[in-house]
Amino acid sequence: MRTIHGCFRECARDRPASVAVRQGNQSMTYAALDTWSDRIAGCLRDRGVRPGHLVPVLLDRSITLVAVLLGILKNGAAYAALDASWPEDYLADLLRRLRGPLLVADRRYPDHPTWVASSPLPADVAVPVADGSGQDPCCVFFSSGTTGEPKGAVVPHDGTVRLLRGASFAALGPGTAMPQAAPLPWDGFTLELWGMLVTGGTALLLEQVPLTPSRLRRCVTRGATLAWTTTSIFNLLVEEDIDCFAGLGQVLVGGERLSPPHIRRFLARHPGIRLTNGYGPVEATVFVATHDIGPDDPGNEQGIPIGRALPDTDLLVLDDDDAACAEGQVGELCIAGPRLALGYLGGVSGGFTAPRAATGPRRLYRTGDLVVRQRDVLHFAGRKDRQVKVRGHRVEPAHVEATAMRLPGMRRCAVVAVTRQGGRLALALFYSAGEQGRLSPLDVGRHLRRSLPEYAVPQYLRRVSGFPLTASGKLDERALTALLEPEGAAGRGRGGAPADPATELEHLVASVMASVLGVERVPEGAGLHALGASSLDLIRGCMRMEREFGLTAPAELPRGDCDIRELAAAIARAQQTLPGSGREAARPRQAPLSPVAASFVAQQEIMPDDTSALCPMRWHIRGPVDASALELALRDVWIRHESLRAACRLTPEPVAVPGPVGLDEPALTLVADAASLDDACRRLEAWLYREPGRLLRGRAWDAALVRIGTGEQAPPGHVLGIVVHHACFDGWSANVFAQEVTLAYNARRGGRAPAFQVPAPALADLA
């Protein structure tokens, strides 16, 4: 078999009942997916899709998307999976350049002939599918270009089939399962999806991306055996929850230079998991070299090796005259062989050339990467040009500059790569404008976000009066970078009066994001993007809130330069929804009540003043109490546990429904001082036992603090009293509750958020 769809059909014939794709609770066998994609292929053929066409696709990550891509390939056409979150102008330009016979999407687009993927399909369609040639186009991947417009690499079937069939760098085949989390327009999508479907494995489509610790853990419980992640996401997972990799047999990582400290931590924690560095440009489909990382690699002074060439790939290290470099000599890495892309869409110029030397392959791709070969192993040594990798995305600064120069009033601009806290790479754009062009950084940011994908928008925007030069007359990038304010210094507000955080959730989000950005506090009213926060920083913040407070991350992060209030609102909405196919589903998360819990609720409804179903707890605290820190600690635990903010009902069925964070948050009531310990307990009981039924209406607990007087017969101190309804609580819960309140209180007294060791179970998990 020489094509993706040909290999898939072979797997469907040999393993018809095996699960091909799974997403959440939905799954589809190879046989069913083969039949469904046949019917889609027939519909597309009837609408003019023919061999050689390039068909753009605008669909969410779903099983439907997989069937559509197979249907396109079965017609001998190639697909271009685009991202609906890209700016409209950017998408319109790509659609124009693809010149497809139609657009496949989830809705109609007035300016383009569209086939809606949810349209009815014929019951039975016979689709004659020729296997075709391995050099036929199968897909188009877009990356940043130096000319101001993205380059579309047209990739042949050979690039994928030769990489994945019989791969030595990973155990692919029947019995394997892999999360599909890479962005759809990336070549990493090829590895995660077709790596399973052309070898007989199972692709686990994430309902939400990116790959966070909780999502990776869920994939492992669903059978994941290996995972691929970019360097940025890998570092994030190692820093935030290194144990989330447990249960995997292999982790593939790449896209950027690896961080030795993160690699060292991973190897120490997971010595039994195979860790593989994968290197390759999109022009050669995913990987051209791999290296299984060993314990000695993090100490290598040249960095983690990118490895040895894969089969069907020739890796040449050439000097400026295209002569082969000797071992230890730095040269440009050039790629030859049948896995190379066919070229760029529309004949755009790029790195595909014939070698200048008389001997050697007839066609090369010049990567622009500088490498050195040591004992037949390649090490990365830098770039020949200005291209940079930002969070795994390839960005040409010239592309960003050309886009910025289209803005009226822009006189000159320069994009510079800067290193942020923790060694992360970010982009900064410095610009000057004419006297008549009053361009603020806000104006420039809006223009760029309308024209570029989010990852290509610089995180720092600075207007300058001039551009410093070196002694040789070149742009002095170091001097420009020095003009940046210290990271975290007062950010640029977005207009209007600054607003204090209005809810405890906003305070929590502000505290976590300050920690992520390495600043003392997030300035009031400041946009997070203006402070240098990338989408990866927002993801990191959501991961910490998920781990420490049990808060579900939003399916979609706010776009543009959001502030704390907007991010908190997105997180609050996520607490009230269930994840769908990459989108929020507008239905409450609820869990069935057990028969015992339902009986407690029924008893309370029959006898509203009955207190027998309440679980009281009292602690005598000797010495002073920081009431503010204690109240914050109680809220930390309340936010973390859905059962503590649940409303219980019996009709139409007995269920518990967690309330959203930010509404009816618990307060620590300070009851009047008591003269003695016994008096304090009586005061607490009177306060906590009032109207017992209130504890079933959305907040299952209440808390109060009484200070004991300093009389001769009274030991000094306080009594903390808490009451929780038995429908949501039991004796085992009391120990967990006490431990977590103690941990949170000690953290809040120290001015920091608590670091809970394990995620809190959701109500549905408890049920």
Side-chain angles (χ1 to χ4, degrees), residues 348-429:
V348 174
S349 61
F352 295 101
T353 64
R356 290 181 286 271
T359 59
R362 289 179 296 176
R363 187 165 176 268
L364 287 175
Y365 174 69
R366 302 178 186 275
T367 65
D369 286 336
L370 299 176
V371 299
V372 60
R373 194 189 302 270
Q374 297 281 8
R375 299 177 183 174
D376 203 33
V377 175
L378 297 174
H379 296 260
F380 182 75
R383 287 286 303 176
K384 287 188 69 174
D385 54 22
R386 299 175 60 205
Q387 186 186 101
V388 294
K389 281 285 189 79
V390 179
R391 308 194 303 277
H393 297 270
R394 204 163 74 184
V395 178
E396 291 279 4
H399 181 190
V400 182
E401 291 166 354
T403 303
M405 289 302 297
R406 299 190 192 117
L407 190 61
M410 183 70 71
R411 175 178 289 175
R412 182 183 176 185
C413 67
V415 172
V416 177
V418 296
T419 302
R420 298 184 57 213
Q421 185 182 31
R424 288 172 282 162
L425 201 65
L427 297 178
L429 183 141

Side-chain angles (χ1 to χ4, degrees), residues 409-413 430-434 439 462-467:
M410 183 70 71
R411 175 178 289 175
R412 182 183 176 185
C413 67
F430 301 89
Y431 71 95
S432 63
L439 290 180
R462 296 291 185 270
R463 182 168 178 167
V464 295
S465 57
F467 290 83

Side-chain angles (χ1 to χ4, degrees), residues 36-49 55-59 64-72 75 100-110 112-122 125:
W36 187 15
S37 58
D38 275 353
R39 295 165 65 191
I40 291 175
C43 283
L44 295 177
R45 182 189 56 194
D46 291 345
R47 285 158 178 78
V49 176
V55 181
V57 178
L58 267 174
L59 293 174
T64 299
L65 169 68
V66 178
V68 165
L69 299 185
L70 281 168
I72 292 170
N75 275 304
L102 51 77
L103 165 67
V104 181
D106 57 1
R107 62 180 178 85
R108 295 199 177 278
Y109 283 74
H112 303 279
T114 308
W115 182 68
V116 179
S118 58
S119 301
L121 297 174
V125 178

Side-chain angles (χ1 to χ4, degrees), residues 343-567:
Y344 292 119
L345 187 65
V348 174
S349 61
F352 295 101
T353 64
R356 290 181 286 271
T359 59
R362 289 179 296 176
R363 187 165 176 268
L364 287 175
Y365 174 69
R366 302 178 186 275
T367 65
D369 286 336
L370 299 176
V371 299
V372 60
R373 194 189 302 270
Q374 297 281 8
R375 299 177 183 174
D376 203 33
V377 175
L378 297 174
H379 296 260
F380 182 75
R383 287 286 303 176
K384 287 188 69 174
D385 54 22
R386 299 175 60 205
Q387 186 186 101
V388 294
K389 281 285 189 79
V390 179
R391 308 194 303 277
H393 297 270
R394 204 163 74 184
V395 178
E396 291 279 4
H399 181 190
V400 182
E401 291 166 354
T403 303
M405 289 302 297
R406 299 190 192 117
L407 190 61
M410 183 70 71
R411 175 178 289 175
R412 182 183 176 185
C413 67
V415 172
V416 177
V418 296
T419 302
R420 298 184 57 213
Q421 185 182 31
R424 288 172 282 162
L425 201 65
L427 297 178
L429 183 141
F430 301 89
Y431 71 95
S432 63
E435 292 299 324
Q436 303 303 317
R438 296 184 177 180
L439 290 180
S440 70
L442 181 61
D443 298 326
V444 177
R446 284 177 181 149
H447 168 71
L448 294 177
R449 282 190 284 275
R450 285 195 302 265
S451 309
L452 295 171
E454 181 274 336
Y455 63 82
V457 177
Q459 291 168 240
Y460 301 94
L461 302 170
R462 296 291 185 270
R463 182 168 178 167
V464 295
S465 57
F467 290 83
L469 302 177
T470 65
S472 60
K474 295 182 179 180
L475 182 69
D476 192 337
E477 294 188 354
R478 180 175 298 181
L480 272 181
T481 303
L483 299 177
L484 291 175
E485 294 171 351
E487 189 170 348
R492 300 289 183 255
R494 296 175 300 155
D500 290 324
T503 68
E504 177 60 24
L505 178 60
E506 290 177 16
H507 281 284
L508 185 151
V509 173
S511 173
V512 171
M513 289 308 302
S515 173
V516 167
L517 296 174
V519 299
E520 184 176 342
R521 61 184 292 273
V522 175
E524 298 165 1
L528 293 173
H529 190 91
L531 290 173
S534 67
S535 62
L536 197 64
D537 293 314
L538 299 185
I539 292 165
R540 183 188 295 271
C542 289
M543 286 168 57
R544 291 188 184 179
M545 286 180 268
E546 184 176 55
R547 183 187 73 233
E548 298 175 5
F549 304 105
L551 294 174
T552 300
E556 293 184 6
L557 293 169
R559 297 178 186 175
D561 193 11
C562 71
D563 61 13
I564 290 297
R565 184 159 294 175
E566 290 163 336
L567 180 57

